[in-house]
Amino acid sequence: MSRTSGDADPRTPGRRSATTEQLAAALAARTDAEIADLLAARPDLAGPVPPSLTAMAARASSRPSVERALALLDATELAVAEAAVALAPVRRPTTAALTRATGLPAQAAHARLHELGLLVKDLPVAALTEALGPHPAGLGPDLGELDALLGPAEAPTTRAALRTAMAGAPDSAVRTLEAMTWGPPVGTAATLPEGAAWLVARGVLRALSPTQVVLPREVALAARGGLTHPVPPAAPDLDDARRVPLTVVAAEGARAAEEVVRLVVALLQAWQHSPATVLRTGGVGVREVRRTAAALEVGEGDVALLAELAGMAGLLTQDGDEQVAWAPARTAADFLEDTVTERWAALAAAWLDSARTPWLVGTRSEQGTLRAVLEPTLERGWAAGLRTRVLTALASLPADTAPSAAQVRALLAWERPRATAPEPTVAAVLAEAERIGLTGAGALTAAGRALLDGAPADDVAAALEEALPEAVGELLVQGDLTAVVPGRPVPELADLLGLCASVESRGSALTVRFTAESIRHALDTGYGADELLAGLAGYSRTPLPQPLEYLVRDTARRHGQVRVGAAGAYLRVDDAGAVAGLLGDPALRALRLRAIAPTVLVSPVHPGDVLDVLREAGLAPVLEGSDGAVVLDLGPGGTGAPRRGGRSGRGTRRTAGLPTYPGAAPTTYLRRTPPTELGPVVARMRAGEEQARRDAARHAGDAPPATDPVHALAVLREAARAGTPVEMVVVGALGKPERRRVQPVSVDGGRVRATDLERDTELTVAVHRISAVAPVAR
């Protein structure tokens, strides 16, 4: 039997992982441009800016930062990282060793791991080993760990030694070894089976307890033939993905884009006329959604997406006095003046960059509450990145490829195995992209590709314009009060028909019907009968039929015979001569009085305020109830009329605008900064590193204290692993610092457990109370 399977004893100190000092030295050897590239790839390292390169190295080798870096790796890079961690205690994980172990050309992945600071001179940083778990690539602990735990023992660590050890093995022992070779490496049974006992007796397995055995890492590698993974990871095969003609992709995408713009405009108009009441949570209630769905003739799920889309583009805001409601923002006016393609480009860009998740509307939160439309809690920091990744996956395929949600997720899992959303979430993003028109029949459109490539808004709009069918300005009016537009109507014709007709069907042609109600709507906007008929005749190929002319003129004749207005209060005056005096009194100008009859005036001001102003002017008014009787019980306010917040009649006003969403918890997103903008950051860290070296020289070569919190924790963790003492500055309850020479035992849960070397006692200190840490010699 043999103990050697690599180029060094696996128990050699420093062979398992790279220290923070080694990573700091490697970073110091890089050029400024290389450090800037690292900060751009791992933006968490630059926020806030570390005081030195050593502090940056401590942050880069911390568990949270390494976890974020692992989320950037593709399947090949992750497999190589796992192999490096698995091989480090056994043999140095060089490029050649990793290529043999993974069955992959590991050179590019090996270089990438070094660039990200996850490997230092082939060795993984300690946090990488922790992040990949206790059994990387399904391998158990190495012999060095087991010897320290159970005592030294011989083991077959080469293929030849393992064949010799397994000679004459019973079938149960062979099956046990085969089952544990590729993991899990630990087996548990109430009573140790005969085959496992046979393997333990020959050093193939180690007994952790009377009921638990483990397969050492070196033995497993020998059984695997030196491989860390049974099958090298491979990109998913999408040859069977659905193919769609490009003409269909363009037509379907253009149709969806035009429709979503029309519906967003319709929603803005609906909420302009009747704003959607805001719930206490900041969202829109189910009743409002149903009302809007009925007005737009779409499903409630479509209203959720349309409202969220308008919110993402900043077209909605919260406003109101006593009752706050969602209504169009000021930016909506500029949006409505743009062309269809310009509107769509703005909506699509807002969707791509938004942190909102409309597909969660209607689901329940962890507290069991139903998530509402425009609710602040629908923000997710990963949403924008997921949208970009999904569209990028589509862009990587041929233009006529329409993969399923499962196939897209397989692509995402290949690109980033540790940062892949579940299939339902991917399907929801694809459905939204289809509804918006970024995809057509499941394939990415030319306009969607332009948006993804970062093209200017004008170019994105132009790409959609090319896909839209040519607009027509012709109207075929029938005698049954219907009309057909043979294609996509020009904007002016579409606006006119939107005012005076109701849509019966949409498709390759637009069919509308003229009714008394639709004509009345046009008259309400200011059209006259002759003007409306002239406008329709200008687009009609033939003279307008008589039934339509009769309908328009008859509706116009009856239009406005009864007028309805709003008033806050009315004034009834017995003497008609006193009306002129009230209208001309300068003291009553704030009431904005208007005569609607010889003895009746109206004012938009609240009745209680009207009474106050009249009394201040020296008059003696009384309050009249809804039945015309004088109100005698005036109440505590002295007027018998409730107040809405004072003379102005305005209560407390709450306003908020999208996309900030009032009530939402502040969310921090890691912004990727281009390397060219990181020069000052690198220079600052270089200067801090030079200052640290000068401080070390003044301390007779001892390392200067680590004051950065992440750096201090890294020093404590490494001291606990290596068993070396440190000097720790602890801030007491009264704010007074105290120096303690300690031996760290563990760093976990925000607390440091250590042994005080001078007092020979054990202490536990909260991490936030530690202001500085410095290694010291025993």
Side-chain angles (χ1 to χ4, degrees), residues 71 136 193 200 302 329 422 465 468 470 550 574 690 719:
V200 171
D302 292 325
E465 185 68 39
L468 288 172
E470 185 177 354
Y550 290 157
D574 293 337
E690 291 297 327

PDB file of all heavy atoms in Angstrom, residues 71 136 193 200 302 329 422 465 468 470 550 574 690 719:
ATOM      1  N   ALA A  71     -20.722  32.978  -8.888  1.00  0.00           N
ATOM      2  CA  ALA A  71     -21.916  33.163  -9.709  1.00  0.00           C
ATOM      3  C   ALA A  71     -21.579  33.647 -11.107  1.00  0.00           C
ATOM      4  O   ALA A  71     -22.432  33.608 -12.001  1.00  0.00           O
ATOM      5  CB  ALA A  71     -22.868  34.145  -9.030  1.00  0.00           C
ATOM      6  N   PRO A 136     -16.037  18.677  -2.402  1.00  0.00           N
ATOM      7  CA  PRO A 136     -15.951  19.183  -3.777  1.00  0.00           C
ATOM      8  C   PRO A 136     -15.868  18.033  -4.767  1.00  0.00           C
ATOM      9  O   PRO A 136     -15.128  17.074  -4.575  1.00  0.00           O
ATOM     10  CB  PRO A 136     -14.656  20.014  -3.763  1.00  0.00           C
ATOM     11  CG  PRO A 136     -13.862  19.453  -2.636  1.00  0.00           C
ATOM     12  CD  PRO A 136     -14.858  19.026  -1.601  1.00  0.00           C
ATOM     13  N   PRO A 193     -21.883  -2.923   7.380  1.00  0.00           N
ATOM     14  CA  PRO A 193     -22.027  -4.107   6.527  1.00  0.00           C
ATOM     15  C   PRO A 193     -20.695  -4.850   6.375  1.00  0.00           C
ATOM     16  O   PRO A 193     -19.609  -4.295   6.599  1.00  0.00           O
ATOM     17  CB  PRO A 193     -22.498  -3.530   5.192  1.00  0.00           C
ATOM     18  CG  PRO A 193     -23.025  -2.179   5.507  1.00  0.00           C
ATOM     19  CD  PRO A 193     -22.233  -1.683   6.671  1.00  0.00           C
ATOM     20  N   VAL A 200     -12.650  -1.342   5.272  1.00  0.00           N
ATOM     21  CA  VAL A 200     -12.000  -0.639   6.377  1.00  0.00           C
ATOM     22  C   VAL A 200     -10.761  -1.387   6.821  1.00  0.00           C
ATOM     23  O   VAL A 200      -9.702  -0.791   7.103  1.00  0.00           O
ATOM     24  CB  VAL A 200     -12.985  -0.462   7.550  1.00  0.00           C
ATOM     25  CG1 VAL A 200     -12.250   0.058   8.792  1.00  0.00           C
ATOM     26  CG2 VAL A 200     -14.104   0.515   7.181  1.00  0.00           C
ATOM     27  N   ASP A 302     -52.980  40.894 -18.070  1.00  0.00           N
ATOM     28  CA  ASP A 302     -52.471  41.885 -19.026  1.00  0.00           C
ATOM     29  C   ASP A 302     -52.439  43.276 -18.398  1.00  0.00           C
ATOM     30  O   ASP A 302     -51.506  44.049 -18.630  1.00  0.00           O
ATOM     31  CB  ASP A 302     -53.349  41.906 -20.278  1.00  0.00           C
ATOM     32  CG  ASP A 302     -53.233  40.623 -21.072  1.00  0.00           C
ATOM     33  OD1 ASP A 302     -52.127  40.059 -21.109  1.00  0.00           O
ATOM     34  OD2 ASP A 302     -54.243  40.177 -21.643  1.00  0.00           O
ATOM     35  N   ALA A 329     -48.265  60.514 -15.091  1.00  0.00           N
ATOM     36  CA  ALA A 329     -47.305  61.530 -14.674  1.00  0.00           C
ATOM     37  C   ALA A 329     -47.171  62.588 -15.765  1.00  0.00           C
ATOM     38  O   ALA A 329     -47.718  62.461 -16.863  1.00  0.00           O
ATOM     39  CB  ALA A 329     -45.956  60.879 -14.383  1.00  0.00           C
ATOM     40  N   PRO A 422     -35.135  29.585 -11.591  1.00  0.00           N
ATOM     41  CA  PRO A 422     -35.939  28.412 -11.899  1.00  0.00           C
ATOM     42  C   PRO A 422     -36.675  28.566 -13.226  1.00  0.00           C
ATOM     43  O   PRO A 422     -36.876  29.691 -13.716  1.00  0.00           O
ATOM     44  CB  PRO A 422     -36.911  28.316 -10.720  1.00  0.00           C
ATOM     45  CG  PRO A 422     -36.749  29.545  -9.932  1.00  0.00           C
ATOM     46  CD  PRO A 422     -35.529  30.265 -10.366  1.00  0.00           C
ATOM     47  N   GLU A 465     -39.722  49.946 -37.011  1.00  0.00           N
ATOM     48  CA  GLU A 465     -40.407  50.554 -38.155  1.00  0.00           C
ATOM     49  C   GLU A 465     -40.267  49.691 -39.405  1.00  0.00           C
ATOM     50  O   GLU A 465     -41.214  49.555 -40.197  1.00  0.00           O
ATOM     51  CB  GLU A 465     -39.851  51.952 -38.408  1.00  0.00           C
ATOM     52  CG  GLU A 465     -40.570  52.738 -39.491  1.00  0.00           C
ATOM     53  CD  GLU A 465     -41.990  53.115 -39.099  1.00  0.00           C
ATOM     54  OE1 GLU A 465     -42.202  53.468 -37.927  1.00  0.00           O
ATOM     55  OE2 GLU A 465     -42.875  53.036 -39.971  1.00  0.00           O
ATOM     56  N   LEU A 468     -42.799  46.830 -39.192  1.00  0.00           N
ATOM     57  CA  LEU A 468     -44.220  47.164 -39.241  1.00  0.00           C
ATOM     58  C   LEU A 468     -44.708  47.219 -40.687  1.00  0.00           C
ATOM     59  O   LEU A 468     -43.994  47.702 -41.578  1.00  0.00           O
ATOM     60  CB  LEU A 468     -44.471  48.515 -38.572  1.00  0.00           C
ATOM     61  CG  LEU A 468     -44.360  48.571 -37.044  1.00  0.00           C
ATOM     62  CD1 LEU A 468     -44.453  50.010 -36.564  1.00  0.00           C
ATOM     63  CD2 LEU A 468     -45.443  47.723 -36.394  1.00  0.00           C
ATOM     64  N   GLU A 470     -46.723  48.657 -43.896  1.00  0.00           N
ATOM     65  CA  GLU A 470     -46.909  50.044 -44.316  1.00  0.00           C
ATOM     66  C   GLU A 470     -48.287  50.532 -43.897  1.00  0.00           C
ATOM     67  O   GLU A 470     -49.304  49.852 -44.085  1.00  0.00           O
ATOM     68  CB  GLU A 470     -46.756  50.158 -45.831  1.00  0.00           C
ATOM     69  CG  GLU A 470     -46.816  51.586 -46.333  1.00  0.00           C
ATOM     70  CD  GLU A 470     -46.586  51.674 -47.834  1.00  0.00           C
ATOM     71  OE1 GLU A 470     -46.281  50.634 -48.440  1.00  0.00           O
ATOM     72  OE2 GLU A 470     -46.702  52.787 -48.388  1.00  0.00           O
ATOM     73  N   TYR A 550     -76.843  60.609 -41.012  1.00  0.00           N
ATOM     74  CA  TYR A 550     -77.995  60.783 -40.129  1.00  0.00           C
ATOM     75  C   TYR A 550     -77.604  60.555 -38.672  1.00  0.00           C
ATOM     76  O   TYR A 550     -78.031  61.286 -37.775  1.00  0.00           O
ATOM     77  CB  TYR A 550     -79.118  59.813 -40.527  1.00  0.00           C
ATOM     78  CG  TYR A 550     -79.774  60.150 -41.855  1.00  0.00           C
ATOM     79  CD1 TYR A 550     -80.446  59.167 -42.588  1.00  0.00           C
ATOM     80  CD2 TYR A 550     -79.754  61.447 -42.369  1.00  0.00           C
ATOM     81  CE1 TYR A 550     -81.056  59.455 -43.796  1.00  0.00           C
ATOM     82  CE2 TYR A 550     -80.347  61.763 -43.581  1.00  0.00           C
ATOM     83  CZ  TYR A 550     -80.993  60.759 -44.286  1.00  0.00           C
ATOM     84  OH  TYR A 550     -81.581  61.065 -45.486  1.00  0.00           O
ATOM     85  N   ASP A 574     -82.521  85.200  -1.778  1.00  0.00           N
ATOM     86  CA  ASP A 574     -83.924  85.579  -1.981  1.00  0.00           C
ATOM     87  C   ASP A 574     -84.059  86.782  -2.895  1.00  0.00           C
ATOM     88  O   ASP A 574     -84.984  86.868  -3.714  1.00  0.00           O
ATOM     89  CB  ASP A 574     -84.590  85.891  -0.626  1.00  0.00           C
ATOM     90  CG  ASP A 574     -84.720  84.631   0.239  1.00  0.00           C
ATOM     91  OD1 ASP A 574     -84.713  83.525  -0.348  1.00  0.00           O
ATOM     92  OD2 ASP A 574     -84.801  84.758   1.475  1.00  0.00           O
ATOM     93  N   GLU A 690       1.478  51.369  -0.237  1.00  0.00           N
ATOM     94  CA  GLU A 690       2.802  51.926   0.034  1.00  0.00           C
ATOM     95  C   GLU A 690       2.888  52.463   1.459  1.00  0.00           C
ATOM     96  O   GLU A 690       3.903  52.284   2.145  1.00  0.00           O
ATOM     97  CB  GLU A 690       3.113  53.037  -0.985  1.00  0.00           C
ATOM     98  CG  GLU A 690       3.325  52.544  -2.401  1.00  0.00           C
ATOM     99  CD  GLU A 690       4.518  51.620  -2.515  1.00  0.00           C
ATOM    100  OE1 GLU A 690       5.504  51.818  -1.756  1.00  0.00           O
ATOM    101  OE2 GLU A 690       4.472  50.685  -3.335  1.00  0.00           O
ATOM    102  N   ALA A 719      -5.520  33.211  11.360  1.00  0.00           N
ATOM    103  CA  ALA A 719      -4.837  32.900  12.618  1.00  0.00           C
ATOM    104  C   ALA A 719      -5.488  31.708  13.307  1.00  0.00           C
ATOM    105  O   ALA A 719      -4.809  30.867  13.910  1.00  0.00           O
ATOM    106  CB  ALA A 719      -4.857  34.125  13.532  1.00  0.00           C
TER     107      ALA A 719
END
